[in-house]
Amino acid sequence: MNTTPDTTPLPTIEYVLPVEGMTCASCVNRIERFLRKTPGVSDAFVNLATERATVLVDPAVAGRAELVGAIEAAGYDVRAEAQATAEAPAGDLDAETAADDAERAVAQRRTLFQASVAIGAALIFMVLMFWPQTVVAMEDLNKLILWPATFIQFWAGGRFYRAAWRAARHGSATMDTLVAVGTSAAWAYSVFVTMYPEVVHQAGLHPETYFDSSAIIIGLILVGRWLEQRAKGQTTGAIRRLVGLQAKTATLVRGTEEVEVAIAAIVVGDLLRVRPGEKVPVDGVIVEGTSAVDEAMLTGEPMPATKSVGDEVIGATLNTTGSFVMRATRVGKDTALANIVALVQRAQGSKAPIQATVDRIAEIFVPAVLVVAALSFVAWFLFGPDPRLTLALTAFIGVVIIACPCAMGLATPTAIMVGTGKGAEAGVLVRGGAALEAAGRLDTVVLDKTGTLTLGKPAVAALIAAPGFEARTVLDLAASLETGSEHPLGRAVVEHARRDELGFAAVQGFAAAPGHGVSGRVD
């Protein structure tokens, strides 16, 4: 008896974790570094646009808990996994997508509201700044503006402080650090000028405040965040359209009864009735009946495939002619459609090789900006013209705010999301960002299957009548008979005849034989 223990390593498994708190490419690089240092992790990449971390792990060494711990150690949070409810059962792709969309919509509305309030307040502050001082003294105006400006600073700008503090606690700096430092400098100086105007006068300076500047900066950056969130929502349209292919209900066969149930209530082994014109609810095998099933959404073939007892049918394909009973073999996230959705999501969350370079640059970019901003302040304060403090502060704020590297970290992943999404809409599945980047250098495409190059809709190319018959008469007879057929070839004949106003003759004894054609008597 061989007692040698099995030392064969387990295959790595993939975890996809939704991450909260990321704002720029430096966040991405930091999380990836912490994940890759975790024992058992063979690779990890984080996508800023999809806000997801994809990690390959040896299950014998680490699991989800260790990965969540690594992300939290980096200073970020992992959203809790959605729980199944009566309204959104597990395995209901449509309900899960709707829940994500609803959560995203709430976040967008909150961001847009805060941005609108901040920009509106900033415009009011600007108007008051030009108010004649013969009516109200500048010191009194500053005190009037102080309280709403402080509210804007910490309510609308609160997200920047929270993110900057989280990054600082873990020894890093992000885009939020730049925003928080820049607007805080403008706000704090303005508060000092408002509370101690006599000190400013003694220094020979005019008591100018920058409440409007800090508010408008927060508002405009929030508008940018809102546009980012909106772009992310639009790029998930391909996923929604794929999920929309899924049937919403199914007809469950229970003995002699047939009951309509929600798609998520189906379990493996259930018997389901599929009638003509209905979508196949889940993957399964036909146990009774014969039909022609349109599988174009899966194979690209325009012609329906004839299916009979023992043949496999795929969920979301369309039953065209006959009725059949099938036994469910794969449901929920195990179906072919769910795997396609997962493939598109994985592609949208992948990285192009160029993005790794961008992420590395972004990580050192933020600290470098802070250093340059500090040097600008010192240079203007020591060597600049009067008023030195005002000009130095303006230079510091300008460098910090303008250098925010939002677009650098978001442009590439958003482009990948759009590219893979548009491909999925056209029936082209892109494996990942590397393939998409390489596609830009292609000059030749070789295809080994003609079915995928058709329009997906048959059309009559030519009509040749047998001796003794006229083509027009044959077309009239055939189209009249095919008017009662649901087959794509039959519809093509009818459409061709309609151009010559043919195919309207009465038909008697019409019968359709799945896979063999139609028969009947015309006139």
Side-chain angles (χ1 to χ4, degrees):
M1 180 177 176
N2 185 8
T3 58
T4 305
D6 185 7
T7 58
T8 304
L10 293 173
T12 58
I13 60 176
E14 181 181 277
Y15 284 94
V16 179
L17 305 174
V19 182
E20 289 183 334
M22 294 190 298
T23 55
C24 64
S26 60
C27 306
V28 169
N29 204 41
R30 179 176 177 82
I31 295 173
E32 287 179 345
R33 192 171 69 250
F34 272 71
L35 284 172
R36 286 169 180 157
K37 289 192 301 184
T38 304
V41 174
S42 59
D43 199 6
F45 56 89
V46 179
N47 190 292
L48 179 61
T50 60
E51 298 178 333
R52 292 178 183 272
T54 303
V55 193
L56 297 178
V57 189
D58 182 351
V61 180
R64 190 179 191 277
E66 287 76 12
L67 303 181
V68 171
I71 293 174
E72 291 176 345
Y76 303 87
D77 299 318
V78 177
R79 288 197 302 273
E81 292 181 318
Q83 301 296 319
T85 65
E87 293 77 15
D92 189 340
L93 299 176
D94 198 21
E96 293 174 10
T97 304
D100 289 341
D101 289 345
E103 182 180 346
R104 187 180 294 110
V106 170
Q108 286 183 31
R109 286 195 298 269
R110 182 171 59 249
T111 301
L112 183 59
F113 178 67
Q114 290 180 332
S116 301
V117 173
I119 293 175
L123 294 176
I124 294 174
F125 297 162
M126 289 180 185
V127 171
L128 292 176
M129 291 296 180
F130 291 100
W131 204 264
Q133 294 192 33
T134 55
V135 179
V136 182
M138 180 60 70
E139 287 81 357
D140 294 332
L141 277 177
N142 290 339
K143 292 177 181 178
L144 178 65
I145 295 173
L146 172 62
W147 301 111
T150 301
F151 172 75
I152 295 295
Q153 184 71 28
F154 294 99
W155 171 70
R159 67 178 68 193
F160 303 117
Y161 285 105
R162 289 189 293 271
W165 171 245
R166 184 168 54 236
R169 283 192 298 115
H170 296 86
S172 67
T174 67
M175 184 196 100
D176 295 290
T177 305
L178 298 179
V179 178
V181 170
T183 59
S184 295
W187 173 82
Y189 175 77
S190 301
V191 171
F192 180 82
V193 169
T194 301
M195 302 303 294
Y196 305 101
E198 65 281 357
V199 176
V200 178
H201 284 299
Q202 289 173 4
L205 299 175
H206 191 66
E208 293 183 353
T209 58
Y210 294 92
F211 289 127
D212 55 335
S213 298
S214 61
I216 198 72
I217 287 169
I218 289 174
L220 291 176
I221 292 178
L222 287 177
V223 169
R225 291 284 175 89
W226 173 73
L227 291 172
E228 291 173 7
Q229 292 169 349
R230 187 166 171 265
K232 292 174 185 177
Q234 290 175 339
T235 52
T236 59
I239 299 295
R240 285 195 292 272
R241 277 181 280 276
L242 284 174
V243 171
L245 296 174
Q246 182 187 47
K248 303 298 185 292
T249 60
T251 303
L252 180 63
V253 179
R254 292 175 177 168
T256 58
E257 295 183 354
E258 295 185 0
V259 183
E260 187 173 293
V261 297
I263 193 73
I266 300 172
V267 297
V268 174
D270 280 347
L271 292 177
L272 307 170
R273 167 76 67 183
V274 184
R275 299 182 177 86
E278 292 182 344
K279 289 182 179 180
V280 177
V282 295
D283 297 357
V285 175
I286 294 179
V287 297
E288 177 188 321
T290 302
S291 184
V293 179
D294 183 355
E295 297 181 324
M297 58 79 62
L298 185 69
T299 65
E301 295 291 348
M303 297 301 299
T306 301
K307 301 287 185 178
S308 57
V309 176
D311 290 336
E312 183 181 19
V313 287
I314 304 299
T317 56
L318 182 65
N319 181 29
T320 61
T321 55
S323 174
F324 61 85
V325 176
M326 59 173 284
R327 187 180 302 279
T329 57
R330 292 188 297 272
V331 300
K333 294 187 176 180
D334 295 326
T335 63
L337 177 63
N339 288 329
I340 292 174
V341 171
L343 177 63
V344 175
Q345 287 177 327
R346 192 176 299 116
Q348 289 188 333
S350 65
K351 282 190 175 183
I354 189 64
Q355 193 175 339
T357 304
V358 173
D359 293 344
R360 285 195 296 270
I361 294 173
E363 187 177 28
I364 63 173
F365 184 77
V366 175
V369 167
L370 292 174
V371 171
V372 171
L375 292 175
S376 299
F377 179 88
V378 171
W380 277 92
F381 186 75
L382 295 179
F383 308 108
D386 291 325
R388 294 182 180 182
L389 179 60
T390 300
L391 294 175
L393 183 64
T394 302
F396 175 83
I397 295 172
V399 172
V400 168
I401 297 301
I402 291 172
C404 290
C406 333
M408 184 166 64
L410 192 67
T412 305
T414 301
I416 292 174
M417 288 182 69
V418 172
T420 54
K422 289 296 183 184
E425 290 176 22
V428 179
L429 298 182
V430 182
R431 185 172 294 275
L436 199 63
E437 183 177 325
R441 299 188 293 271
L442 296 180
D443 56 14
T444 304
V445 177
V446 180
L447 300 121
D448 64 347
K449 192 177 183 185
T450 57
T452 55
L453 298 179
T454 66
L455 295 175
K457 183 179 179 181
V460 175
L463 173 59
I464 302 174
F469 291 91
E470 292 185 2
R472 186 177 177 85
T473 302
V474 172
L475 180 60
D476 188 32
L477 292 171
S480 297
L481 185 59
E482 293 287 9
T483 300
S485 172
E486 297 176 345
H487 198 281
L489 289 185
R491 289 196 295 269
V493 172
V494 173
E495 289 178 7
H496 186 73
R498 292 292 191 261
R499 298 172 192 167
D500 295 330
E501 298 182 356
L502 299 175
F504 295 100
V507 179
Q508 294 177 338
F510 176 84
H516 296 282
V518 294
S519 61
R521 181 176 295 276
V522 181
D523 289 339

